[in-house]
Amino acid sequence: MPFRHAANTVMKSLAEIYSHLPDAPSEKTLERVDYEARHWSSPIQGPLKPGTEEHKRAVAAMFRDTFNPYKPSVIDWPKLDPETLHRITSLPIWDIAVQTEGKARLRMAAYADMITDPDMKDALSRNAWEENRHKEVLTKLVEAYNIPMAPEPPYVTPKDTEWAYLVTGFSECVDSFFAFGLFALAERAGLFPQELIETFEPVMQEECRHILLFANWLAWHRATMPFWKRPWFELRVIGVWLFLAYERMGLARSIDENGEEHTQDNNFTVTGAKDMTTMDISLPDLMQLCLDEDDRRFSGYDPRLLRPTTTPAIARAIIKGAKLWDRVRSKIAA
């Protein structure tokens, strides 16, 4: 019983982190908010080297200054025609999407709670709050369009807080990169109403800010940790990548309250192009679109801040590999 009471106390304290912002957002026009959420430069002069006080303060200021105060409770979800409604409700992502955000808010809050540096603690606490808002957005969408959902599992405080945070951070870096391309593809195809695209646009840009924060936290963390901890930490990072690769090879299955099985695609952000458009797009072209959208979304932020590099590097390798294969195949055919 005492253990259960302690666990409930921890959960309550973490919920305080992801449910309340450290300060109230300022009143701004929608146009100004949208611009400031996408454009930010630090007034600090000179390089922003990870591990320095200047870099750390710039990262925290970026995340605070680019906050977008939209409210999921007042989103006016557009009415959809039957074909579009079916296309959205049949996407194999909703259970995973809602549950992923539910876990992310808790993992972010748990890691923020253990950080002692006030600047990074503030940034990660805000990140946890925004993950909670993402869950609210998805929950409101599910309710608006009557999408059948399996019951959500209980969200448990991670036993290994750092591992859970690394899994969430690297997972967002991978998923956001491909989501940027799929989102642009859906907009070009016109299969979804523009109102729905515009509703999710702030969420997509918010994901850009999240992985920008994670990439710079990672560099700061590496630079400030004792040298003797670095080998074990790098082994953990490798382990996270192996775990994510394994996780994305399978499907997630869950049972709803009516006993019906829901199959969810763990790798939808990589394989979901066919569900987002009727256009025929090759894998290299999709990778190039993801790279272009990735560059576009990051372009407004101070170039001295680090960007995620692993997934874009993999995409470039796929493009180069495809071009090399095309040349080899043309020579064989000749």
Side-chain angles (χ1 to χ4, degrees):
M1 188 66 68
F3 175 78
R4 179 176 296 179
H5 175 72
N8 290 338
T9 301
V10 171
M11 285 289 290
K12 184 177 181 180
S13 65
L14 296 183
E16 286 291 318
I17 293 176
Y18 67 68
S19 299
H20 298 91
L21 278 173
D23 50 26
S26 60
E27 292 294 330
K28 302 176 183 177
T29 64
L30 291 177
E31 292 79 7
R32 183 182 170 192
V33 164
D34 186 68
Y35 181 85
E36 292 183 356
R38 301 165 191 272
H39 301 83
W40 184 88
S41 291
S42 173
I44 299 173
Q45 299 297 312
L48 296 176
K49 183 180 178 181
T52 63
E53 187 71 16
E54 291 79 10
H55 172 262
K56 182 196 67 173
R57 284 192 283 112
V59 172
M62 176 279 298
F63 205 75
R64 181 178 62 251
D65 296 345
T66 56
F67 173 75
N68 187 335
Y70 67 86
K71 298 179 180 179
S73 60
V74 297
I75 290 177
D76 186 16
W77 296 100
K79 292 184 178 180
L80 305 178
D81 62 79
E83 183 179 355
T84 303
L85 181 61
H86 175 72
R87 185 178 298 115
I88 289 177
T89 57
S90 62
L91 291 176
I93 60 172
W94 300 117
D95 285 345
I96 282 182
V98 171
Q99 293 172 24
T100 296
E101 298 294 355
K103 289 185 290 186
R105 65 181 182 178
L106 186 58
R107 292 173 176 180
M108 295 284 182
Y111 194 77
D113 192 48
M114 65 179 284
I115 289 182
T116 57
D117 182 272
D119 291 318
M120 281 297 178
K121 190 182 197 69
D122 179 79
L124 268 69
S125 296
R126 293 173 186 275
N127 199 165
W129 188 92
E130 291 184 3
E131 297 291 359
N132 185 54
R133 182 168 62 176
H134 286 188
K135 185 178 185 300
E136 290 182 16
V137 170
L138 291 171
T139 300
K140 295 294 183 182
L141 178 143
V142 165
E143 293 174 355
Y145 298 129
N146 295 316
I147 299 175
M149 299 283 289
E152 293 182 53
Y155 297 110
V156 182
T157 305
K159 295 180 180 179
D160 188 335
T161 305
E162 183 183 70
W163 170 268
Y165 178 66
L166 288 172
V167 168
T168 298
F170 280 116
S171 181
E172 284 198 332
C173 288
V174 174
D175 293 340
S176 295
F177 175 80
F178 292 109
F180 295 158
L182 292 180
F183 190 75
L185 196 63
E187 185 174 10
R188 294 180 185 183
L191 295 183
F192 301 98
Q194 189 61 33
E195 297 91 341
L196 194 59
I197 296 291
E198 291 174 356
T199 294
F200 270 95
E201 174 56 36
V203 179
M204 297 301 297
Q205 192 63 32
E206 207 159 72
E207 289 293 355
C208 180
R209 291 171 55 256
H210 289 184
I211 61 179
L212 183 62
L213 171 63
F214 179 76
N216 283 274
W217 165 85
L218 185 64
W220 170 80
H221 189 57
R222 280 170 165 153
T224 56
M225 73 170 55
F227 74 92
W228 53 270
K229 287 186 176 182
R230 184 71 182 270
W232 172 242
F233 179 77
E234 297 303 336
L235 285 175
R236 301 201 92 193
V237 170
I238 293 172
V240 168
W241 280 110
L242 292 174
F243 170 76
L244 293 179
Y246 172 78
E247 183 183 52
R248 279 155 173 73
M249 287 191 296
L251 299 175
R253 290 181 171 84
S254 54
I255 307 298
D256 66 18
E257 56 191 8
N258 297 319
E260 296 181 2
E261 184 180 73
H262 293 247
T263 301
Q264 304 286 299
D265 189 351
N266 279 328
N267 209 23
F268 180 82
T269 51
V270 180
T271 63
K274 64 182 182 299
D275 294 301
M276 305 302 287
T277 179
T278 56
M279 298 185 297
D280 187 20
I281 184 170
S282 66
L283 180 60
D285 288 342
L286 177 59
M287 293 299 99
Q288 187 59 58
L289 178 59
C290 291
L291 285 168
D292 293 343
E293 285 297 301
D294 189 67
D295 289 340
R296 181 180 69 83
R297 289 192 178 275
F298 278 114
S299 63
Y301 302 115
D302 196 316
R304 293 173 294 173
L305 295 180
L306 301 177
R307 274 68 167 157
T309 57
T310 302
T311 311
I314 293 172
R316 292 188 184 96
I318 291 173
I319 294 171
K320 290 181 179 178
K323 290 180 178 178
L324 178 60
W325 171 245
D326 287 341
R327 286 199 296 267
V328 171
R329 189 169 54 180
S330 62
K331 288 182 179 179
I332 294 175

